[in-house]
């Protein structure tokens, strides 16, 4: 059904829909490009719309990356490694990723890591031992934290318990 509606839309209507799509939430170029595939228009028309969105600041990769970094760290408590991988998956350049990572103050990053690690350690039902340690390490690796941080915290928690 969406395809029938997509065929009937003019370039201006599609452009308007994408303006709203970008204004509603920060989007990267790749996400907008994928959204454009749902409309039956030529490659030249897609390119025209993308250029318009970039020139009018609806798409801004740096702004997107900074927002992404803040959101994923502050709300989902992701570590830098996972954030970097997710941004690379979205074709964000290394230069922009480096700039965006500055959105997380080091003190906040470490504070969030320690809180998350301690909370998870206390929620693991197993008693001390390799099984508990593995669950702890695996969880923090999935969250994207650095191995050195994880093992330092593990030693600290093992001594304390």
């Amino acid at each position: 059904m969406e395809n029938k509606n997509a065929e009937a839309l003019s370039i201006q209507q599609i452009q308007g829909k994408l303006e709203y799509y970008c204004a509603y939430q920060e989007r990267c170029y790749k996400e907008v490009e994928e959204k454009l595939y749902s409309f039956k228009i030529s490659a030249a028309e897609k390119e025209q719309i993308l250029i318009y969105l970039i020139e009018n600041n609806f798409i801004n990769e740096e702004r997107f990356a900074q927002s992404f970094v803040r959101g994923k760290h502050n709300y989902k408590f992701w570590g830098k490694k996972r954030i970097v991988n997710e941004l690379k998956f979205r074709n964000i350049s290394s230069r922009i990723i480096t700039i965006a990572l500055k959105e997380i103050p080091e003190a906040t990053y470490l504070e969030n890591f320690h809180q998350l690690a301690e909370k998870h350690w206390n929620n693991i039902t197993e008693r001390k031992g390799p099984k508990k340690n593995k669950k702890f390490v695996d969880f923090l690796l999935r969250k994207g934290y650095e191995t050195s941080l994880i093992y330092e915290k593990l030693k600290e928690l093992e001594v304390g318990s």
Side-chain angles (χ1 to χ4, degrees), residues 92-114:
I92 306 297
S93 74
S94 298
R95 182 188 66 79
I96 290 177
I97 292 172
T98 304
I99 292 167
L101 286 174
K102 292 177 182 163
E103 292 291 308
I104 310 171
E106 194 61 27
T108 305
Y109 184 75
L110 293 173
E111 185 182 316
N112 286 346
F113 166 76
H114 289 296

Side-chain angles (χ1 to χ4, degrees), residues 58-118:
F58 284 100
I59 301 173
N60 182 318
E61 298 271 271
E62 190 172 318
R63 193 177 62 214
F64 165 80
Q66 289 171 326
S67 172
F68 186 90
V69 166
R70 282 190 308 272
K72 296 304 181 192
H73 183 70
N74 294 335
Y75 298 106
K76 292 201 171 197
F77 300 101
W78 285 5
K80 290 179 183 175
K81 290 173 85 175
R82 177 147 183 206
I83 291 170
V84 167
N85 287 337
E86 292 288 335
L87 287 171
K88 283 181 180 175
F89 174 74
R90 288 167 173 78
N91 299 332
I92 306 297
S93 74
S94 298
R95 182 188 66 79
I96 290 177
I97 292 172
T98 304
I99 292 167
L101 286 174
K102 292 177 182 163
E103 292 291 308
I104 310 171
E106 194 61 27
T108 305
Y109 184 75
L110 293 173
E111 185 182 316
N112 286 346
F113 166 76
H114 289 296
Q115 282 179 352
L116 181 68
E118 287 166 19

